[in-house]
Amino acid sequence: MSSKKSKKTTKFTDEHAAVLQATHKPSTAFSKNARIGSMAAYEKLYRESIAKPEVFWAREARELVWRKPFSKTLKWKAPDAQWFIGGKLNVAENCVDRHAAGTRKNKAAIIWEGEPGDKRVITYAQLHREVCKFSNVLLARGVKAKARVLIYMPMIPEAAIAMLACARIGAVHNVVFGGFASEAILDRLEDSGATAIITADGGWRRGKVIALKPAVDEALKKYHKIKHVFVVKRTENDISMQPGRDLWWQDEMETASAKHEAEGFDSEHPLFILYTSGSTGKPKGILHTSGGYLTGTYSTCKYIFDMRDEDIYWCTADVGWITGHSYIVYGPLANGVTQLMYEGAPNEPDFGRFWKMIEEHGVTIFYTAPTAIRAFIKAGDQFPEKHDLTSLRLLGSVGEPINPEAWNWYYEKIGGSRCPIVDTWWQTETGAILISPLPGATPCIPGTATRPFFGIDAAILDEYGNECPPNVDGRLVIRKPWPSMTRTIYGDKARFHKTYFSDYPGIYLAGDGARRDKKGNFWIIGRLDDVLNVSGHRLGTAEIESALVSHPSVAEAAVVARPHDLKGQAIAAFVTLKLGYESSEDLGKELRDHVGHVIGAIAKPEEIHFTPVLPKTRSGKIIRRLLKELVTTGTISGNVTTLEDVGVIELLQKLLKK
Ligand code: WT7
């Protein structure tokens, strides 16, 4: 019988609680070989790094290749940070050239598996050739430094090559997750002012070809600044190509020169924009720059994943998210590691796919998300049990708080009770991991991301700005700047300032609730704002609501999250229809599909409740807190004093009982 079943039939006792909350210390063998091998070593370096963050970060930055050394480490006048001033570097040179020119030349940089089972191995020397060639393609087609390039790709090596080529020539990439729809592409094109697009004829997902080019074509009907669309041929999918504008990647590469001299760009040269959901309005274009971002991702890979030349590292994220940027492309490659990259779904052909790949490729470090782990638990232990997972030495988790059940399953079934788990807390805005265990030092307790990384001055504040005592919930903040922090919301400095640095002047507000225990471990509780976390993906209630309201039948919509076994949170939508429209199951389905069309499948509400009224304050603000309580518990007992019409509650409760 699987452990899952036995847990379900037994009562939860103190013994269970003790197992779930047990402290797991790294083994002596792991600690002995780790870069940071004890808590004493962590504490010492942490204290030094907080006393003088600039000394720590400058030391880390100097492990990169600089075309021109920086003369000053930090200039900070909130909310404006500048790191490694006067320095010039080329990010792609750091990720590729320096390995291709040295002993890692013939080492695999990327071992790739397509979903159908096709495989490719790309060495650092080959990656260098490809990146140089595509840099020349971009230049020949008029893409210049600082130009914005939208990348909309499946998980194929060309995605990384495209990003690195942009970085190499100083163009600013904006990767858009392949699951997003054409309107999301259009929004990002308009906001970033992109002039080129890199995409593919499709990619494989769950045994099917997901077309990408049609969504690009659709967006380009309304956006006319694109000079070229580069299209990788990945599938035999039939797509339309507009002559002159659309170019096949493979054709362009055939004649391109593999010689390209990397130029040094200013440390603060923009590297990429990545859009992420906020609590209000349209997604925020989070801007990251070069020297600081690379230093942060490089250093965290080195210490937190303890990357070594012998490792086969695998991060299961998509390049469309920040995790794919920082922990597939930039951080691991800057460390010269070998990594596995996978195109498709975790359950194709079945839930054994990941474990089979770990066995076959001898993966040593595995980084995934709690939502995936929960799906694996549900699928059953028979899948991992079929495979030899003893190559693994370190596991990681990211995206949301990992529930202790998932943590323990991951630890035992995947890690063989042998591998430390680094529960890494960070955000699109932070660029790199800020709170995490160090695998050879930190005792892990399921559910806590434990301690801040070097140079990270994390704290929990109350609403007045005072530090909360141990075990008291408050808001997570970072009090000192760090190199990989976002520099602005693209084109909207005022929003940047207001969102992150105005509640506590000069202090970064992460938007998460958290507490710190007596030992100094940080426990992340979840978002404080109207941001949902569905399967580790960030979605704003406002975005989904505005997608709903864009449907002709909808007058008003309110979106909230309810706890969900697999996804962490599921989306529940309350919809008021315009006069003349009637609620029906069909309309519910149509609305779900409509949201899928506007934003992407991940944003489709799990449930839609039609209601003639929504709970509002006297000033007309929707009170989502009440709706959230309603979908979570089935009733409303919370404070309703601000409600404009108390009758609404009764009505909604009845509605949900139906
Ligand atoms: C939000 C950031 C960072 C890459 C993936 C998500 C939540 C992330 C953890 C963790 C608890 C976590 C937070 C954060 N989050 N990692 N280890 N424990 N919560 O990036 O889309 O920018 O979302 O994800 O709520 O604010 P993102």
Side-chain angles (χ1 to χ4, degrees):
M1 201 164 60
S2 79
S3 61
K4 190 183 143 234
K5 275 188 192 140
S6 58
K7 252 181 216 148
K8 266 205 172 152
T9 49
T10 352
K11 260 200 210 150
F12 191 82
T13 63
D14 288 351
E15 265 164 68
H16 287 98
V19 171
L20 291 179
Q21 291 150 20
T23 302
H24 300 263
K25 288 201 177 126
S27 68
T28 7
F30 196 104
S31 298
K32 213 175 81 205
N33 295 317
R35 286 194 174 84
I36 305 291
S38 69
M39 267 326 250
Y42 162 77
E43 300 275 12
K44 180 168 180 287
L45 188 48
Y46 181 73
R47 265 197 313 273
E48 286 170 16
S49 74
I50 289 300
K52 288 182 178 154
E54 287 153 72
V55 172
F56 172 78
W57 288 120
R59 199 164 61 224
E60 292 301 302
R62 289 200 180 98
E63 291 184 14
L64 302 173
V65 175
W66 292 83
R67 287 298 179 94
K68 184 172 167 245
F70 47 93
S71 51
K72 188 172 163 37
T73 303
L74 169 68
K75 216 163 133 188
W76 171 239
K77 193 173 175 296
D80 296 309
Q82 283 179 293
W83 282 90
F84 313 124
I85 294 143
K88 282 192 194 299
L89 82 170
N90 187 292
V91 170
E93 173 181 36
N94 274 283
C95 294
V96 186
D97 301 39
R98 66 163 163 163
H99 311 307
T103 50
R104 293 182 179 129
K105 181 175 174 163
N106 297 320
K107 176 181 174 171
I110 298 174
I111 301 174
W112 175 83
E113 252 195 61
E115 196 188 68
D118 42 341
K119 294 184 174 79
R120 284 163 70 186
V121 177
I122 300 172
T123 65
Y124 274 99
Q126 289 166 332
L127 185 62
H128 181 242
R129 270 183 76 81
E130 296 297 301
V131 172
C132 286
K133 280 166 79 176
F134 197 63
S135 300
N136 284 325
V137 168
L138 290 173
L139 290 168
R141 294 293 179 180
V143 180
K144 295 201 181 80
K146 294 203 174 159
R148 274 78 63 210
V149 178
L150 186 137
I151 298 180
Y152 186 62
M153 297 269 262
M155 280 294 288
I156 54 177
E158 283 76 8
I161 294 166
M163 290 162 76
L164 290 163
C166 287
R168 190 176 189 90
I169 64 166
V172 183
H173 60 71
N174 167 217
V175 185
V176 177
F177 173 55
F180 281 135
S182 70
E183 296 201 23
I185 300 177
L186 181 62
D187 278 353
R188 283 149 182 77
L189 288 172
E190 281 172 345
D191 193 78
S192 70
T195 50
I197 297 180
I198 308 167
T199 185
D201 60 349
W204 289 92
R205 187 101 190 154
R206 291 204 179 87
K208 281 197 287 242
V209 171
I210 306 289
L212 295 163
K213 180 69 165 41
V216 169
D217 293 340
E218 184 67 31
L220 292 188
K221 282 185 195 157
K222 294 193 194 139
Y223 182 81
H224 306 291
K225 287 190 197 143
I226 293 299
K227 300 208 177 71
H228 289 295
V229 181
F230 302 90
V231 187
V232 178
K233 201 177 188 73
R234 158 71 186 132
T235 63
E236 292 302 315
N237 198 20
D238 194 18
I239 56 163
S240 75
M241 296 285 281
Q242 182 175 308
R245 187 194 69 185
D246 301 353
L247 307 162
W248 287 107
W249 168 293
Q250 279 87 345
D251 292 350
E252 294 288 297
M253 290 291 266
E254 211 168 273
T255 51
S257 158
K259 287 206 169 39
H260 180 266
E261 189 57 42
E263 175 192 341
F265 290 99
D266 193 274
S267 177
E268 286 299 333
H269 187 90
L271 180 62
F272 66 84
I273 304 168
L274 184 63
Y275 287 82
T276 190
S277 300
S279 49
T280 50
K282 58 174 190 170
K284 303 177 278 197
I286 299 301
L287 181 85
H288 282 287
T289 58
S290 304
Y293 174 79
L294 195 65
T295 300
T297 52
Y298 165 76
S299 175
T300 48
C301 276
K302 188 179 71 175
Y303 288 113
I304 296 170
F305 294 116
D306 197 35
M307 283 183 185
R308 305 286 168 164
D309 262 323
E310 307 77 61
D311 277 315
I312 309 276
Y313 162 86
W314 185 16
C315 167
T316 67
D318 190 284
V319 288
W321 310 111
I322 190 70
T323 309
H325 286 60
S326 301
Y327 296 105
I328 293 179
V329 179
Y330 294 110
L333 294 177
N335 278 272
V337 82
T338 293
Q339 70 175 308
L340 185 61
M341 183 177 184
Y342 172 55
E343 177 185 35
N347 56 345
E348 185 60 35
D350 62 35
F351 274 103
R353 182 65 183 260
F354 277 15
W355 321 129
K356 184 164 176 273
M357 286 176 63
I358 289 175
E359 176 174 359
E360 278 180 15
H361 298 284
V363 172
T364 57
I365 308 172
F366 181 63
Y367 191 28
T368 195
T371 181
I373 298 167
R374 288 191 298 267
F376 289 125
I377 297 177
K378 194 166 170 228
D381 297 353
Q382 67 275 22
F383 292 107
E385 274 164 9
K386 262 190 261 170
H387 296 280
D388 178 1
L389 303 177
T390 51
S391 60
L392 289 169
R393 66 179 193 93
L394 175 59
L395 302 174
S397 169
V398 63
E400 60 179 302
I402 177 166
N403 47 307
E405 289 79 5
W407 197 101
N408 279 287
W409 185 89
Y410 195 30
Y411 186 73
E412 286 166 25
K413 304 289 170 188
I414 306 307
S417 303
R418 173 185 76 248
C419 309
I421 298 179
V422 289
D423 174 358
T424 61
W425 178 88
W426 57 297
Q427 308 174 296
T428 304
E429 293 88 337
T430 69
I433 299 166
L434 298 196
I435 302 178
S436 168
L438 292 178
T442 318
C444 296
I445 306 168
T448 168
T450 73
R451 308 283 290 265
F453 187 66
F454 303 123
I456 302 303
D457 185 15
I460 311 284
L461 301 186
D462 68 16
E463 57 204 297
Y464 307 105
N466 302 315
E467 204 161 343
C468 294
N471 295 321
V472 172
D473 294 4
R475 304 173 193 175
L476 177 59
V477 299
I478 313 295
R479 292 183 291 204
K480 288 190 170 75
W482 64 99
S484 66
M485 66 200 286
T486 167
R487 298 298 191 263
T488 191
I489 294 174
Y490 190 71
D492 200 345
K493 197 79 191 204
R495 188 176 178 199
F496 176 71
H497 184 232
K498 183 165 182 295
T499 311
Y500 305 109
F501 290 99
S502 66
D503 285 44
Y504 308 112
I507 292 178
Y508 176 79
L509 179 76
D512 278 347
R515 63 176 166 272
R516 193 179 201 172
D517 67 19
K518 286 208 174 89
K519 293 190 184 115
N521 293 314
F522 284 82
W523 297 76
I524 312 296
I525 303 159
R527 300 289 309 187
L528 295 165
D529 48 17
D530 287 328
V531 170
L532 315 181
N533 191 329
V534 179
S535 302
H537 298 146
R538 216 162 123 177
L539 295 164
T541 52
E543 257 175 288
I544 306 169
E545 286 164 5
S546 88
L548 282 165
V549 176
S550 73
H551 189 275
S553 70
V554 177
E556 200 170 31
V559 160
V560 293
R562 103 176 138 64
H564 185 280
D565 278 355
L566 292 179
K567 299 178 178 177
Q569 293 189 327
I571 303 164
F574 289 82
V575 169
T576 305
L577 293 175
K578 284 187 192 150
L579 229 58
Y581 287 91
E582 243 175 74
S583 65
S584 69
E585 229 168 84
D586 283 350
L587 183 59
K589 187 179 173 303
E590 195 179 313
L591 292 179
R592 294 184 67 244
D593 289 343
H594 177 70
V595 175
H597 179 75
V598 175
I599 306 173
I602 47 165
K604 277 188 185 179
E606 187 92 357
E607 49 196 65
I608 292 203
H609 305 285
F610 292 102
T611 168
V613 275
L614 287 166
K616 288 189 186 165
T617 62
R618 288 180 188 95
S619 64
K621 271 196 182 159
I622 298 171
I623 314 178
R624 291 185 189 76
R625 171 174 58 80
L626 297 180
L627 296 172
K628 190 170 175 164
E629 195 189 339
L630 188 65
V631 289
T632 308
T633 66
T635 54
I636 290 173
S637 55
N639 186 330
V640 294
T641 47
T642 51
L643 206 63
E644 168 219 12
D645 170 10
V646 190
V648 167
I649 300 279
E650 208 175 314
L651 189 122
L652 285 168
Q653 285 181 355
K654 263 196 213 141
L655 205 88
L656 246 76
K657 287 220 176 74
K658 265 202 272 174

